Each structure stands twice: as C-alpha cells, then as structure tokens.
Amino acid sequence: MTKGIASSLSLFSLYLLSLTVVLSTAAVNIALFTIVFSAVLAWPSMWYDFRRNSLFWLTLALTLYTITHSLISVYYHPSLAESSNPHWSHIARVTGILSLFIGWWIAYHRRHVPYLLMTLLAGLAIGLFAGIDLSALLNGSAVHRGTWGTPTNEVGYLSAVGFVGCFIGITQVILFGSKRLSTLALIIGLTATLFFFTVLLGSGTRGAWLAATIVLVSYIALLFIRLNKHHPRHTKRYALVTVFLMTALVPILYASSSSLENRLDSTWKIAKGVSEFDVKDINAADPSSGARIMMWQEGIKAIADRPLRGWGLGGKHLVAEQDGSNLKNHPHFHNLYIEIAVGLGLPGFILFILVYGKTIVTFMKKEKTNYEDFTPALLSATLALSLLVMFLSFVLAKPQEERSLFCL
C-alpha cells in the first residue's frame, strides 16, 4: 500500500518536474519535495539498490563534503552565505543525493521514460517560445540570445538540449520504432527539431553550438559504425534519415546567413588565437572570449593558491579582493569546473569528476548493450552536452531568477 502511494506520487512528480523545469520554480520545488517524500516511503527498496551501487556512495560523499565544506567556509567568510555564483546549495542539489532519488524513480517508471522525455521537450519549447521577442526578431536581431526566449543566459543550452534530443529521438524512432509510425508524430517531431535548431542558432551561443555539433557528430558516427556491424541492412536507411534531417536545417542556415557571418568570423579568429596560444588575438577577435580566458587564468591561479581547502563555493569575490586581480568586474569564472575546484578545492573537484565519470560509464554500458533503445543514447548525449557546455559557460542561475533549469 505504502509503495503504491509512493509510486503514484513519484510519477506525478516526475511529470510535473519534466513539464515545469524551466517554467516555474515553485512547481519544481513542489515536485522535488514530493520526490523526496516518495523516496522516504519507498526507502527499503531504494536502499536495497543504493547500497550496492558505487555511484550512490560517491554521490553521498560529494554531498556531505559539499555541505560540510560550505558550512565551514561560511563560518569563516559570512559573505559566502549571500553569494550566488554559485550558492553552495545549488551544487548540493544538482550533484547530490536528490539527483539519485530522481534517477531511481525514473528507472522504476522506465516505461514512462519516452513520455517523460516528450513532456520535458514540450516544457522546454513552451518556455523558450513564450520568451521570444517578435518585435526584435522582425527588426533584425536574429542572432541575439535576448531575442530567443528565457531565461536569457540559458537559451543556448536549453535549445541545444531540445535540438539534440529531438534529432536523436526522430532518428531512433525511424530506425527502430514501430512500422506504423504516425505521420502526425513525425511532423511534430520534425517541427520541434527545426524550432529548437532555430532558437539554438539565434541564441548566438557559440559554446552551445560547439557542444551540440560535437555530440551529434559523435552520435551519428557511433551509431553508423554499430549499424554497419550488427544491422547492415539499416545502414542505408540511417544515412538517408541523417541526410534528410540535415537537409531540413539548410533553409534556416541560409535565412540566417547574413546575421551569422560576423559571429562565425569572430569564432574562426578565436579558434586561430587558441591554436596559436595568443591571448591578444583572442581578445581582439572577441573581448568576451578574451575576458573568459583571463578569468580561467585567474581561476587556475586561485586553485594553485589554495589547492586543498579551496575558497568556498561562490568565493570568486574573495579571489577578486587579492592584489593584482582583474576579476572585480566579473561575477564568476565562466567555467563550472574551475568554480568547483576554486570553491571546494581539489578533493571536492575529484569527487565531482568521479560522480560524473561513473555516470558516463553507466550510460555507455547501457547504450552498448542495447543501442536500439533511444533512452540511453539520449541520456548519454544530454549528459555529454551538459559537460561540454559547463566547460565553456556557467549555467547555474541566480536564486532570484524565477525560471531556471538549475535554480532548484
């Protein structure tokens, strides 16, 4: 009886979370509270699975370390309690035990995973579409993240998740789904893919462009190799599907060519500067990227100054107070890995990497044994996308933002 109630509550919470993750912080908090309550009701079964899983112990260690380290840091530096770049509670929530509760319930309701993913994509589309500034778009501001939905700083990442998710979903369903695939479902899926691609392109977020490109090229190559090895008859079909989807994106690229020209030109100059290790060329091509390189350099220096104890999460302002620092006008290091290493020190950073590394290995094993199931492929791609974006950006939102993917 108790487990049945927990199951129903958790399923409701997963759908609520999937739909409202970028729409309402209040709804997300309700969903998370209900998931925790459901976990308490179903704890004997959950504990039976957790105690044999190394990922649980790694995540528990990271959670306890983050909380303990942060409380001690706040005691010595009270200003960290107000810092939101990041606030320590954000890291504890996103990478902590709460994530495992959600993952366990998703695995328990695995038959609902396709519908949960569709609900998530619908929620992302609604959130992005509701914030589009049509007047700015009509006036020619096509490549500017402020034109394409909210929350503004996460438009590139969210649209990349939607685009990659839809692309993989359509590919897998056409290849391995029911032969009675609904024409309407295919039209809706293709429309969603084109919508997310348009927003991704219009966001002007080069980090999201690069991450989405790497993930999709890797996915296409790996699936092609596996199909050619195990199902040669599907190889030609897969090539046609990929070409069709890619061709459908060409008109959007062509329509945006004039707006993208300057952005892509500066991207090429930045890449050239990076290849030659010339910070001056990078700064000349794009002051924003030059500033980012400077932030990374100072972050690495801050790690070297306090490699073990760190500065406390959100401690960028403590680093900026040091003599010779150029960080006073920048809210963070623009790189989540550096933020973690600066904030928690190398012990916390190593735990963080181990948690994500173990998660990646788990997904890869699932995908290798059953690559026809699009769920492991989609989860692997989304995680890879997130990890790449976190290297180039900082997507944890401030607590005062009402709609945010990570401000839970």
Side-chain angles (χ1 to χ4, degrees), residues 278-294:
D278 193 329
V279 178
K280 290 183 179 180
D281 281 355
I282 297 173
N283 195 57
D286 182 35
S288 175
S289 297
R292 188 174 306 187
I293 297 295
M294 179 272 295

Side-chain angles (χ1 to χ4, degrees), residues 12-233:
F12 163 78
S13 302
L14 290 176
Y15 275 105
L16 180 62
L17 182 64
S18 299
L19 180 63
T20 63
V21 70
V22 298
L23 300 176
S24 169
T25 300
V28 168
N29 286 333
I30 292 172
L32 294 177
F33 175 81
T34 309
I35 284 174
V36 173
F37 181 70
S38 302
V40 172
L41 294 179
W43 181 247
S45 299
M46 194 173 284
W47 172 243
Y48 179 80
D49 291 333
F50 279 169
R51 66 184 181 181
R52 300 176 300 168
N53 192 326
S54 59
L55 180 60
F56 166 75
W57 297 108
L58 286 172
T59 306
L60 179 62
L62 177 61
T63 303
L64 294 177
Y65 182 88
T66 299
I67 293 174
T68 303
H69 186 281
S70 299
L71 291 176
I72 294 173
S73 298
V74 168
Y75 176 80
Y76 286 104
H77 302 284
S79 60
L80 291 174
E82 305 299 326
S83 179
S84 60
N85 289 299
H87 194 278
W88 64 270
S89 64
H90 294 173
I91 300 296
R93 291 179 181 184
V94 171
T95 64
I97 295 298
L98 181 57
S99 299
L100 287 187
F101 290 166
I102 297 173
W104 191 88
W105 280 120
I106 290 176
Y108 184 84
H109 297 292
R110 59 177 58 88
R111 290 183 298 178
H112 286 263
V113 168
Y115 308 106
L116 287 169
L117 291 173
M118 286 188 284
T119 304
L120 173 63
L121 292 173
L124 292 181
I126 293 170
L128 292 171
F129 185 78
I132 290 178
D133 188 343
L134 292 177
S135 61
L137 184 61
L138 294 174
N139 288 331
S141 299
V143 183
H144 187 277
R145 69 187 63 177
T147 305
W148 294 96
T150 56
T152 303
N153 289 333
E154 297 165 13
V155 167
Y157 170 71
L158 296 176
S159 56
V161 170
F163 170 57
V164 170
C166 287
F167 190 101
I168 291 176
I170 288 180
T171 302
Q172 295 275 147
V173 169
I174 291 177
L175 288 175
F176 308 114
S178 171
K179 293 182 179 179
R180 297 181 179 179
L181 178 66
S182 168
T183 302
L184 179 61
L186 182 60
I187 293 174
I188 292 174
L190 182 59
T191 302
T193 304
L194 297 178
F195 168 75
F196 283 119
F197 180 72
T198 303
V199 177
L200 174 61
L201 203 63
S203 73
T205 309
R206 287 173 296 204
W209 292 353
L210 179 61
T213 301
I214 292 173
V215 169
L216 275 187
V217 169
S218 301
Y219 163 77
I220 291 170
L222 287 173
L223 186 55
F224 185 86
I225 293 171
R226 289 175 181 174
L227 280 176
N228 195 47
K229 181 178 180 181
H230 299 287
H231 298 283
R233 67 183 185 277

